[in-house]
Amino acid sequence: MLKLAFLFGTFWLVAVSFYGCEEAVTPTEPTSEQSPTFKTMAGAEYHFVAKWGTQGSGDGQFNSLRGVAVDKRGNVYVADGHNYRIQKFTSDGTFLTKWGSYGSGDGQFDRPSGVAVDKRGNVYVVDGHNYRIQVFAP
């Protein structure tokens, strides 16, 4: 499910789980041989799997993360706000590509603040300070 919200003159893209699960998550203590486990109030458990990225402007680096989306192939799209771009990764965090730069032209961003992908693979980007949504087709 995809929601668009208008807040204080800026569009924000809010991606909500396809399963509609919006529960509080509580971390549990890991044993020495397992990764941390997080348990929801309903009792579902999630295990820490991976992380990637550092602060910066290079490939795979971020400056003010604003949104994340996953396509049907498992690729991960990240709205990298103060680097004025979208970055695309494999599901294990391997950098694939990026697009965008600072500006107001097509394909340029002024602080992208959200990203979503539809079933056709179209990528929707909330271009916050340009007051628009840009759509990119595969």
Side-chain angles (χ1 to χ4, degrees):
M1 182 168 129
L2 186 64
K3 295 181 182 178
L4 285 176
F6 190 73
L7 180 64
F8 304 112
T10 303
F11 282 103
W12 293 88
L13 190 66
V14 180
V16 179
S17 166
F18 292 117
Y19 303 103
C21 179
E22 296 178 359
E23 307 176 43
V25 177
T26 306
T28 58
E29 291 297 320
T31 63
S32 60
E33 60 272 349
Q34 73 182 50
S35 63
T37 300
F38 301 88
K39 186 177 272 190
T40 68
M41 292 172 57
E45 287 190 0
Y46 294 89
H47 304 279
F48 175 81
V49 177
K51 63 182 174 183
W52 67 84
T54 59
Q55 185 178 9
S57 60
D59 295 347
Q61 294 184 315
F62 306 109
N63 187 1
S64 190
L65 293 159
R66 296 293 179 178
V68 64
V70 180
D71 67 18
K72 66 182 179 181
R73 293 188 175 127
N75 295 312
V76 179
Y77 298 78
V78 178
D80 189 4
H82 289 170
N83 282 327
Y84 311 104
R85 65 187 179 185
I86 301 298
Q87 293 194 69
K88 181 179 177 183
F89 301 87
T90 64
S91 60
D92 67 1
T94 302
F95 174 82
L96 293 173
T97 191
K98 64 185 174 198
W99 70 90
S101 61
Y102 178 77
S104 60
D106 294 345
Q108 293 183 316
F109 306 108
D110 188 355
R111 297 190 188 116
S113 56
V115 63
V117 182
D118 69 18
K119 64 184 176 183
R120 292 186 196 105
N122 296 314
V123 179
Y124 298 78
V125 179
V126 175
D127 189 5
H129 286 224
N130 281 323
Y131 308 101
R132 64 186 181 181
I133 297 172
Q134 294 192 63
V135 182
F136 302 90

